[in-house]
Amino acid sequence: MEQKLIFYCVDTWSTCRKAKAWLSQNDIDFEYRNLIKNPLSKEEIKGLANLAGLEISGLINRKSQVIKKLAINLTELNDNGIVQLIEDNPRIIIRPIISDGKRLLFGFKEQDYLDFTEAG
């Protein structure tokens, strides 16, 4: 049985709205996960990083306004500190994210979404 796609995002972000609309317009079945209303747990954060083959800090959007306001030097934090930072500030995670449980795709480009959903 194929796992349903999970779409991780924040409604207020325009790229998330575009990606969500694309999924709906292309009749892609997905579960929507609002990262503000339903933040990721520590285990989920670690799982996403592992699935993507990234260090946990690789999940952070370093251009995020929240990161800039926090003025945190990420290199001074260990993995647990970074996980806690993401858990406390879900807006800092790169988004949108789409996952089929085996793969992750960050951001939104129509062709990438087409390739991802067709390869699933």
Side-chain angles (χ1 to χ4, degrees):
M1 182 177 160
E2 216 175 280
Q3 183 170 341
K4 183 184 253 187
L5 292 176
I6 301 176
F7 179 69
Y8 302 88
C9 215
V10 176
D11 285 336
T12 57
W13 206 51
S14 63
T15 304
C16 288
R17 290 193 307 265
K18 288 176 193 173
K20 187 177 176 185
W22 186 92
L23 290 166
S24 295
Q25 290 164 1
N26 286 277
D27 296 320
I28 307 295
D29 189 28
F30 67 96
E31 176 186 325
Y32 178 70
R33 175 82 178 265
N34 184 317
L35 294 171
I36 302 302
K37 293 179 182 173
N38 190 4
L40 298 169
S41 68
K42 287 176 175 56
E43 295 76 25
E44 289 172 316
I45 293 166
K46 291 175 185 176
L48 287 176
N50 186 48
L51 194 57
L54 296 172
E55 295 289 323
I56 295 169
S57 63
L59 295 175
I60 294 177
N61 176 0
R62 296 173 191 278
K63 296 178 183 176
S64 160
Q65 292 300 315
V66 174
I67 281 290
K68 290 176 183 177
K69 287 179 187 173
L70 291 173
I72 291 175
N73 183 348
L74 295 174
T75 61
E76 293 177 355
L77 296 176
N78 64 19
D79 283 351
N80 290 332
I82 292 171
V83 167
Q84 188 64 54
L85 182 67
I86 293 171
E87 194 175 36
D88 293 344
N89 302 279
R91 291 183 189 276
I92 67 173
I93 199 163
I94 295 172
R95 58 190 190 271
I97 301 172
I98 191 167
S99 175
D100 62 4
K102 297 178 223 145
R103 306 169 294 149
L104 284 183
L105 182 62
F106 294 99
F108 175 64
K109 291 183 182 160
E110 284 189 37
Q111 188 60 52
D112 292 346
Y113 267 51
L114 185 62
D115 294 344
F116 187 91
T117 56
E118 286 180 348

